[in-house]
Amino acid sequence: MRARDRFAFGLSGLADNILGTFLGVHLFVFYTDVVGLDALYVSLGLTLALVWNALGDFFMGRLSDRTTLKAGRRRPYLLLGALPLGVAFILLLSPPAQLQGGALGLYFTVTLLFLFSMKTMVQVPALSLLPELAKGSEERTRLAAAREQLGNVGDLLGLLLPVLWLMVSGAMDEGASPSRVREGFGQAAWVIGGIATLAIFGAFLGTREDPTVKPATAMGAKDVLRALSGHRPFRALLGAAALGALALSFVQSMILYVLHHVMRETAPEVELMAFVINAVSAIASYPLWTRFAARVGKVTAFRVGLGISSIAFSSVFLVGPGDYLALALVMAFSGASNVGFWMLLHSLNADCADLDAARHGERREGLFAGFAALVKKLAIAGAAAGVGVGLTVIGYREGAAPSTEVVFRLQVLFAVPPTLLALGALWFFRSYDADDATGMEALAPAE
């Protein structure tokens, strides 16, 4: 496979992550501390939208499996959803100034539902292309790595562009009014939404589908459940993915709270340093993870990735006011440690689709990609609910300086639940059958 083909496929990851990282890092803070919406409203809206998104992912996967358009089963949805995706993101970050309370919460939820519906339309078909575009095991790992590596570029953009835009526009100057900060976020949304739209168009133009692959036959609910529940490697992978995604999403939503209240840093330069180090460390680690997976096998490398991630979260107790070197080391370590999980997750899921095809005689990548996305989104919804509830339980109040006791509780909230979840994912994945994994890799032709 040519490098430009991997790049085109990777653009779908860039679009997904630039939006997802912005939402994960900035959305809570924007709506609670800038717009003034209660944290429980934000948690409720995120939970409802993510559950909707999760169910939509599953049905979108099955729909793309059965699509019979001349342009293919997957790619037409990229074309249809690219522009509405950017528009939905802009609307979400531009709430009318006159809305407050329940009306503002309703606007937040409706626009978030619209955005996640468009994300479903483009991302599930894009992920379903992976097994078809790359047949060999190592080539599949490289293709998944390309998507995740460009996804980390999207992470960097989603993290930094809002901060840079607010700095350039003067919204972060001392004494800047909340309305100016709000306006700055809305302007940044135009830039980020435009990048996401162009990236999806690029993925559409740069990928091709195999015209010989026939659409999958329709399946009833019982047949779907039987196909998924009877797939032992997929069950193990799914459980590990759900717990791992829950842990990482929870931490992502908490990062700015730690910087602002544990380190007592609101300087944009410190946030920029932390985010850049984290993303650059992740991007730089992909060649190492790719070689490591080729050397020890994807299954072992995935376990190592989960194990390292379980260590990273507790490092929040190593940072405090002025501990810039410790912050840099923690962000670098956490950035590199999470790569093994996300990169190999998609490659292993594609292997599961191959095994299913060998057993049943038809390609049903959308079924597996959609159901995996459903479970991951439910996990993210759980993280969104957990952050809002957790902040309320520990006594955090938006707009008020937290006490020393609340700051310690923030550290505990950041470290303990995600660490336990990551260890749980590692325990769940223990039932992933090595013989089945070997069989799946053997199904792919030699490179």
Side-chain angles (χ1 to χ4, degrees):
M1 176 177 288
R2 298 169 299 180
R4 68 181 186 184
D5 297 325
R6 290 195 293 270
F7 177 79
F9 177 73
L11 286 173
S12 66
L14 189 152
D16 194 20
N17 285 30
I18 192 174
L19 300 181
T21 298
F22 181 99
L23 298 179
V25 174
H26 297 290
L27 189 66
F28 241 99
V29 174
F30 171 71
Y31 264 95
T32 58
D33 293 7
V34 177
V35 177
L37 186 62
D38 187 271
L40 287 178
Y41 271 120
V42 179
S43 284
L44 178 60
L46 275 169
T47 302
L48 291 175
L50 285 165
V51 170
W52 166 265
N53 188 213
L55 294 173
D57 284 345
F58 175 70
F59 288 107
M60 188 70 231
R62 290 298 297 145
L63 177 62
S64 69
D65 278 343
R66 301 194 302 271
T67 296
T68 58
L69 297 174
K70 289 184 178 180
R73 296 190 297 166
R74 324 288 185 186
R75 293 174 62 251
Y77 295 108
L78 276 63
L79 182 62
L80 289 173
L83 184 58
L85 179 69
V87 171
F89 184 75
I90 292 168
L91 290 174
L92 176 63
L93 272 295
S94 305
Q98 66 270 22
L99 294 182
Q100 293 181 352
L104 179 60
L106 180 62
Y107 178 90
F108 170 76
T109 303
V110 170
T111 54
L112 199 59
L113 285 169
F114 179 33
L115 174 63
F116 282 179
S117 297
M118 294 304 100
K119 278 172 63 68
T120 288
M121 179 179 287
V122 299
Q123 291 302 330
V124 172
L127 276 174
S128 301
L129 282 170
L130 197 156
E132 189 174 320
L133 294 174
K135 304 296 184 181
S137 177
E138 290 188 23
E139 181 60 39
R140 181 166 290 169
T141 299
R142 286 196 291 268
L143 185 61
R147 186 185 189 278
E148 292 304 305
Q149 195 167 27
L150 278 174
N152 280 133
V153 174
D155 287 331
L156 193 59
L157 294 174
L159 287 165
L160 299 183
L161 278 179
V163 179
L164 289 171
W165 193 273
L166 292 175
M167 290 173 62
V168 171
S169 66
M172 299 190 78
D173 294 346
E174 186 175 353
S177 65
S179 62
R180 192 172 184 183
V181 178
R182 187 168 177 161
E183 182 181 353
F185 269 103
Q187 292 168 347
W190 279 84
V191 178
I192 293 173
I195 292 173
T197 292
L198 291 175
I200 294 298
F201 275 128
F204 167 78
L205 294 173
T207 55
R208 293 292 180 270
E209 296 185 55
D210 185 351
T212 65
V213 177
K214 296 180 180 180
T217 57
M219 298 174 64
K222 290 184 179 179
D223 293 329
V224 168
L225 292 175
R226 190 179 299 114
L228 296 172
S229 63
H231 200 309
R232 183 171 54 181
F234 184 66
R235 291 201 311 268
L237 182 63
L238 203 62
L243 294 178
L246 179 58
L248 294 174
S249 299
F250 189 95
V251 164
Q252 187 182 55
S253 296
M254 291 286 297
I255 288 174
L256 286 182
Y257 292 96
V258 170
L259 286 174
H260 292 173
H261 302 300
V262 176
M263 291 198 67
R264 299 176 188 170
E265 283 289 350
T266 57
E269 295 82 3
V270 176
E271 292 183 10
L272 287 172
M273 179 198 74
F275 295 153
V276 168
I277 290 173
N278 183 265
V280 170
S281 174
I283 293 169
S285 70
Y286 278 94
L288 298 176
W289 278 107
T290 302
R291 288 195 292 270
F292 182 64
R295 189 182 190 91
V296 304
K298 288 186 282 190
V299 175
T300 299
F302 185 72
R303 289 188 174 115
V304 170
L306 278 172
I308 295 175
S309 293
S310 69
I311 300 171
F313 307 133
S314 296
S315 58
V316 69
F317 293 105
L318 302 178
V319 299
D323 293 334
Y324 301 119
L325 178 59
L327 175 64
L329 293 174
V330 166
M331 295 301 284
F333 178 72
S334 62
S337 66
N338 297 336
V339 165
F341 172 79
W342 290 117
M343 181 184 88
L344 294 168
L345 175 62
H346 297 305
S347 183
L348 289 169
N349 192 68
D351 288 346
C352 289
D354 274 354
L355 183 59
D356 175 74
R359 289 174 174 173
H360 300 286
E362 62 180 11
R363 304 296 307 185
R364 303 188 295 196
E365 296 93 340
L367 171 65
F368 290 90
F371 196 78
L374 181 152
V375 171
K376 187 176 80 170
K377 295 292 175 57
L378 289 177
I380 295 173
V387 168
V389 172
L391 290 174
T392 301
V393 168
I394 67 172
Y396 177 83
R397 296 293 181 266
E398 59 273 6
S403 65
T404 302
E405 184 179 4
V406 171
V407 169
F408 175 72
R409 291 172 184 169
L410 268 174
Q411 291 175 291
V412 172
L413 185 64
F414 183 93
V416 175
T419 299
L420 294 176
L421 287 166
L423 291 174
L426 188 62
W427 177 84
F428 208 106
F429 194 67
R430 83 196 192 288
S431 62
Y432 192 95
D433 192 283
D435 293 333
D436 277 345
T438 302
M440 284 186 285
E441 293 189 3
L443 291 173
E447 298 178 42

